[in-house]
Amino acid sequence: MFRLDERLEADSLPVGMRDGCLVRLVRDARYPWLLLIPATGRFREWWELTADQRAAVDGLLADCARVLAALPGVEKTNLASLGNVVPQLHWHVVGRRAGDPAWPGPVWGHGDPRPYSPGESVALIARLRSELELTP
């Protein structure tokens, strides 16, 4: 039975679903930052997924990185899956640029998140949903 970790839910906004995975936008407008969470079970580790699930995740991660890379100002995409604080299996896909608030270090724990304005998040979510071909 799938249940989204409350910390992931609190820190992000729903974008949509594809290939059995949730895609969510992290509530920090300093970086275009997506979470990808397999929503078909209670996974902690990447290797627990079937080969088909891993292939689907790989394709979706590539698409997320490609779409973020096309956003204005994004020069580099970062991909990470740690799980030390939130053990539910999830990936971070983050659009970066030289001179962003955490550059060149990691985004975690660097300053306070800047919330999206309502219009800003609605527009970005709509664009992401369309370009990633997600269902709401």
Side-chain angles (χ1 to χ4, degrees):
M1 170 87 46
F2 174 78
R3 183 165 180 247
L4 181 60
D5 184 280
E6 62 191 28
R7 292 163 290 195
L8 297 178
E9 186 170 17
D11 290 345
S12 63
L13 300 165
V15 178
M17 187 164 201
R18 188 177 111 194
D19 299 328
C21 293
L22 295 176
V23 177
R24 297 183 63 90
L25 177 66
V26 171
R27 296 175 189 265
D28 189 346
R30 298 176 300 166
Y31 320 96
W33 182 348
L34 296 175
L35 298 176
L36 190 147
I37 307 120
T40 56
R42 295 178 82 66
F43 300 107
R44 293 174 56 98
E45 304 291 345
W46 166 85
W47 52 262
E48 293 175 324
L49 300 172
T50 67
D52 287 343
Q53 288 170 319
R54 287 193 304 271
V57 166
D58 184 58
L60 184 52
L61 286 169
D63 287 347
C64 287
R66 177 185 48 76
V67 167
L68 290 184
L71 293 176
V74 174
E75 300 167 351
K76 174 77 176 92
T77 56
N78 292 171
L79 174 65
S81 178
L82 302 172
N84 297 337
V85 174
V86 177
Q88 182 172 40
L89 181 60
H90 66 285
W91 287 264
H92 299 260
V93 186
V94 187
R96 303 293 306 273
R97 70 180 187 294
D100 72 31
W103 188 265
V107 295
W108 289 277
H110 190 278
D112 295 320
R114 180 178 69 80
Y116 283 97
S117 71
E120 201 177 20
S121 62
V122 167
L124 181 55
I125 288 170
R127 178 177 179 173
L128 294 167
R129 189 175 290 152
S130 173
E131 292 185 20
L132 291 168
E133 299 177 352
L134 304 174
T135 58

